[in-house]
Amino acid sequence: MPEDELEDLPGVGPATADKLVDNGFESYQSIAVASPGEMSNTADIGESSAADIINAARDAADVGGFETGATVLERREEIGKLSWQIDEVDDLLGGGIETQSITEVYGEFGSGKSQVTHQMAVNVQLEPENGGLDGGCIFVDSEDTFRPERIDDMVRGLDDEILADEMERREIEGTPSDKEAMEELVEAFLDQIHVAKAFNSNHQILLAEKAKELAGEHEETEWPIRIVCVDSLTAHFRAEYVGRGELADRQQKLNKHLHDLMRIGDLFNTAILVTNQVASNPDSYFGDPTQAIGGNILGHASTFRMYLRKSKGDKRIVRLVDAPNLADGEAVMRVQNEGLKPE
């Protein structure tokens, strides 16, 4: 939304409009879903003035009222489904990873969490007919896990028909068997993955705000951002906030971070995929003692919770632990050099 349209809101002059735009409040909708405290802190606007601006934006954007279930159903038809390219897992998820939702993948080290984020960074760029969302990826890397070489492997591991479609769409001359054409295609995939390394929890929270700006910049382009991957969500929070005395502060910051990510999903029809570390419950005498960290804050914020665990060789068990409209269940996949593959 151009700056001069923000000036139509009561109490917003040219200087205030500049402040709002500079801090990511570029549309009526982004203002409408903000809180007065947040706008006051980020855009240096008095809290009472911020409340007036937000209320005016809600009226202008028609945000915050009640609507019928039929209207909600109609809006949900805009939600995209990102395929894992594994039928058994897609069936478990009702078609794939949803946009406008947070999907959490947790498991012990080596279970394949980072492999999932890399694979989705590739799959999201495919055409909808091939299970993708025709968009780019933002990758927030907090554990130094992102490897472009792995993206290379996974692009080359796609089916030849999909590779041929992608070469035609990206106007790359050649075939999947052509070495130079494949190198050009891999580079084209890497160009649509925006990576930032988070050095601590505060930096990670800042990167979520920057991700919102980046998604806004790409919204009207050929490659809108369709997935934000955070690998891992909890590593820095777990390392920096140690002991029960720090727990409340940690959960409060984690809660804000999750809401910032969810706002990206809502505003730009983007899937949010986060990985999570685990701990072993010493009180568990029966069954699997592995439990996700992050507590109820993360449990409530995640729309879909998936647990990965190791099996024989390259097999991984994918278990759907929680979903609002799907039954719990399990599927099997393989983590191979070419990426995630069916059993």
Side-chain angles (χ1 to χ4, degrees):
M1 167 132 350
E3 293 176 36
D4 57 352
E5 291 190 31
L6 294 186
E7 294 178 32
D8 293 340
L9 296 173
V12 178
T16 303
D18 288 342
K19 285 182 182 179
L20 290 170
V21 171
D22 289 345
N23 289 279
F25 300 105
E26 299 176 346
S27 67
Y28 288 165
Q29 188 175 2
S30 62
I31 294 172
V33 298
S35 68
E38 176 191 6
M39 183 177 289
S40 176
N41 291 332
T42 57
D44 192 25
I45 297 170
E47 196 159 331
S48 60
S49 298
D52 292 339
I53 294 170
I54 289 168
N55 287 331
R58 286 174 180 170
D59 291 338
D62 194 21
V63 171
F66 289 94
E67 55 192 8
T68 65
T71 304
V72 174
L73 179 61
E74 185 178 339
R75 193 175 68 250
R76 279 191 59 79
E77 291 176 359
E78 300 173 4
I79 289 175
K81 299 271 190 176
L82 174 57
S83 172
W84 287 52
Q85 301 293 328
I86 302 169
D87 290 342
E88 195 177 351
V89 179
D90 286 342
D91 291 343
L92 192 66
L93 284 170
I97 293 175
E98 279 192 3
T99 59
Q100 301 181 36
S101 296
I102 294 180
T103 299
E104 173 198 354
V105 177
Y106 68 91
E108 61 184 2
F109 66 92
S111 59
K113 302 185 297 297
S114 296
Q115 303 299 318
V116 172
T117 55
H118 281 70
Q119 187 71 65
M120 295 309 135
V122 171
N123 293 358
V124 74
Q125 300 185 42
L126 306 179
E127 294 177 289
E129 296 79 17
N130 290 325
L133 295 175
D134 223 357
C137 168
I138 292 175
F139 198 110
V140 178
D141 181 6
S142 71
E143 294 190 85
D144 194 27
T145 53
F146 181 79
R147 294 291 183 273
E149 299 86 354
R150 196 71 187 108
I151 299 295
D152 188 320
D153 294 338
M154 289 176 169
V155 171
R156 295 175 190 274
L158 295 170
D159 290 343
D160 283 348
E161 289 185 10
I162 293 178
L163 289 172
D165 288 344
E166 288 301 310
M167 285 182 173
E168 181 179 356
R169 183 163 68 113
R170 298 172 195 243
E171 299 179 350
I172 296 174
E173 295 183 3
T175 65
S177 59
D178 185 335
K179 183 179 178 181
E180 289 186 4
M182 278 303 302
E183 288 177 355
E184 189 176 346
L185 181 61
V186 169
E187 188 172 341
F189 269 86
L190 285 168
D191 281 343
Q192 302 308 325
I193 304 173
H194 309 270
V195 185
K197 185 174 179 180
F199 295 102
N200 54 50
S201 61
N202 286 326
H203 187 218
Q204 186 172 321
I205 291 170
L206 175 63
L207 288 177
E209 296 171 3
K210 295 294 183 184
K212 179 184 166 189
E213 294 177 17
L214 187 60
E217 292 169 5
H218 283 75
E219 187 177 12
E220 302 298 330
T221 67
E222 184 182 358
W223 292 96
I225 300 300
R226 286 290 174 257
I227 191 168
V228 176
C229 298
V230 184
D231 186 22
S232 85
L233 178 76
T234 50
H236 286 314
F237 293 91
R238 190 181 192 183
E240 294 167 24
Y241 296 89
V242 181
R244 290 188 178 275
E246 301 281 339
L247 184 60
D249 287 342
R250 185 190 82 175
Q251 293 303 90
Q252 188 176 11
K253 278 200 168 185
L254 184 59
N255 192 28
K256 181 191 182 303
H257 185 39
L258 286 163
H259 279 79
D260 288 344
L261 292 171
M262 192 63 254
R263 190 169 297 169
I264 299 171
D266 289 337
L267 289 175
F268 304 108
N269 194 24
T270 300
I272 309 297
L273 174 63
V274 302
T275 67
N276 188 14
Q277 295 184 344
V278 297
S280 186
N281 182 3
D283 297 330
S284 177
Y285 293 101
F286 303 99
D288 191 342
T290 304
Q291 60 181 15
I293 69 168
N296 291 329
I297 291 289
L298 182 50
H300 290 308
S302 299
T303 316
F304 301 90
R305 303 194 85 181
M306 307 183 72
Y307 172 36
L308 298 185
R309 70 176 190 270
K310 300 175 187 176
S311 187
K312 292 182 179 179
D314 60 5
K315 283 187 181 181
R316 299 293 185 273
I317 308 299
V318 183
R319 182 183 171 200
L320 181 62
V321 176
D322 185 41
N325 59 332
L326 300 169
D328 296 354
E330 290 188 348
V332 181
M333 69 176 184
R334 292 182 181 273
V335 178
Q336 300 181 332
N337 289 338
E338 299 81 13
L340 305 183
K341 296 297 178 183
E343 184 184 8

